[in-house]
């Protein structure tokens, strides 16, 4: 029940986060926004990592290798998923983006079958009910698959892969450390891309500080960490 409540809280945080992500791009490009919010999320974990350091056993070399492998892999997939989602928000509404991203709840058990994961009937029934609810909440009669919607569909596949990567590594390494590494990898890749194809400015970041604060500290720092835990 505690795990389910953590995931429910993460879902609520991310749902509100779509609005912040859309508003943030009034002042900066999608890669600039993602770079800053994921690095801000990583910074928000530093006090927790410091607090846990004195209470957890010293990791051996093998643990660090597995942490880096899992964190880099999760960060790469997270970068692809978050980039597609954020760029897609330029061409579609937050409601549509939320609905289409939710497709990953079906994709996760489907991909899981290929990995020989056991999936019970309750999971399939719950996923179908959730899909029906998302449809009636978010889709109107004018629903069409535009460019932004297509990016969100591709992004949903990467969100599903990301969740399966976390599922593989989260019980092998310290989950908070895994979250921190993936945030840094995703943030650096996003910011690097921003400097190549966008023009990041301090003024833009300051103008969108409210959206960045929510998306960085709450959506990333709290939401994604709850997911890993």
């Amino acid at each position: 029940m505690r795990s389910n409540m953590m995931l429910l809280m993460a879902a609520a945080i991310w749902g509100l986060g779509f609005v912040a992500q859309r508003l943030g791009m009034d002042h900066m490009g999608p890669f600039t926004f993602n770079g800053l919010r994921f690095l801000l999320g990583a910074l928000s974990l530093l006090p927790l990592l410091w607090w846990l350091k004195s209470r957890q056993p010293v990791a051996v070399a093998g643990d660090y290798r597995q942490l880096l492998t899992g964190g880099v892999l999760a960060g790469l997939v997270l970068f692809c998923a978050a980039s597609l989602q954020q760029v897609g928000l330029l061409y579609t509404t937050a409601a549509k983006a939320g609905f289409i991203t939710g497709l990953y709840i079906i994709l996760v058990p489907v991909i899981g079958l290929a990995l020989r994961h056991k999936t019970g009937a309750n999971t399939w029934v719950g996923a179908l009910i959730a899909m029906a609810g998302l449809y009636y909440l978010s889709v109107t009669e004018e629903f069409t698959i535009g460019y932004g919607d297509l990016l969100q569909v591709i992004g949903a596949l990467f969100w599903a892969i990301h969740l399966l990567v976390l599922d593989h590594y989260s019980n092998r390494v310290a989950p908070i450390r895994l979250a921190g590494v993936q945030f840094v990898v995703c943030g650096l890749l996003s910011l690097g891309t921003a400097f190549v194809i966008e023009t990041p400015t301090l003024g833009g970041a300051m103008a969108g500080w409210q959206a960045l604060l929510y998306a960085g500290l709450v959506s990333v720092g709290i939401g994604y960490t709850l997911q890993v835990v």
Side-chain angles (χ1 to χ4, degrees), residues 147-219:
Y147 177 65
D149 300 331
L150 180 61
L151 292 179
Q152 300 294 348
V153 170
I154 300 171
L157 175 61
F158 281 96
W159 288 119
I161 295 171
H162 178 248
L163 192 60
L164 290 169
V165 171
L166 293 182
D167 175 59
H168 180 76
Y169 284 101
S170 60
N171 62 349
R172 290 171 168 81
V173 298
I176 305 299
R177 291 172 182 165
L178 177 64
V181 174
Q182 71 163 352
F183 296 162
V184 171
V185 171
C186 181
L188 291 177
L189 287 173
S190 298
L191 212 54
T193 305
F195 278 107
V196 173
I197 65 175
E198 297 174 359
T199 308
T201 63
L202 181 60
M206 294 298 292
W209 71 270
Q210 291 173 312
L212 269 177
L213 204 63
Y214 184 92
L217 296 182
V218 184
S219 282

Side-chain angles (χ1 to χ4, degrees), residues 99 105-106 121-137:
F99 163 68
I105 63 174
I106 292 292
N122 287 346
T123 299
W124 292 109
V125 172
L128 290 172
I129 292 173
M131 285 296 298
L134 284 167
Y135 178 86
Y136 284 112
L137 283 171

Side-chain angles (χ1 to χ4, degrees), residues 13-219:
I13 287 170
W14 289 334
L16 294 170
F18 278 104
V19 179
Q21 287 173 240
R22 192 74 175 81
L23 293 174
M25 288 189 297
D26 290 341
H27 309 286
M28 66 198 86
F31 290 98
T32 302
F33 184 81
N34 270 351
L36 293 175
R37 77 177 179 118
F38 278 101
L39 290 178
L40 184 60
L43 285 173
S44 73
L45 292 185
L46 289 179
L48 183 58
L49 288 169
W50 177 83
W51 181 77
L52 288 173
K53 186 177 180 179
S54 62
R55 289 164 173 77
Q56 291 181 339
V58 178
V60 297
D63 293 334
Y64 280 118
R65 284 197 295 270
Q66 194 155 219
L67 173 63
L68 285 176
T69 301
V72 170
L73 182 57
L76 285 170
V77 179
L78 180 60
F79 167 71
C80 295
S83 297
L84 287 163
Q85 183 184 81
Q86 199 66 28
V87 174
L89 278 168
L90 291 171
Y91 306 99
T92 191
T93 64
K96 279 189 177 182
F99 163 68
I100 297 171
T101 299
L103 288 173
Y104 83 92
I105 63 174
I106 292 292
L107 295 174
V108 168
V110 169
I111 298 174
L113 289 177
L115 299 175
R116 297 181 179 179
H117 290 185
K118 293 182 179 180
T119 303
N122 287 346
T123 299
W124 292 109
V125 172
L128 290 172
I129 292 173
M131 285 296 298
L134 284 167
Y135 178 86
Y136 284 112
L137 283 171
S138 305
V139 180
T140 65
E141 293 179 357
E142 292 79 26
F143 181 82
T144 55
I145 297 295
Y147 177 65
D149 300 331
L150 180 61
L151 292 179
Q152 300 294 348
V153 170
I154 300 171
L157 175 61
F158 281 96
W159 288 119
I161 295 171
H162 178 248
L163 192 60
L164 290 169
V165 171
L166 293 182
D167 175 59
H168 180 76
Y169 284 101
S170 60
N171 62 349
R172 290 171 168 81
V173 298
I176 305 299
R177 291 172 182 165
L178 177 64
V181 174
Q182 71 163 352
F183 296 162
V184 171
V185 171
C186 181
L188 291 177
L189 287 173
S190 298
L191 212 54
T193 305
F195 278 107
V196 173
I197 65 175
E198 297 174 359
T199 308
T201 63
L202 181 60
M206 294 298 292
W209 71 270
Q210 291 173 312
L212 269 177
L213 204 63
Y214 184 92
L217 296 182
V218 184
S219 282

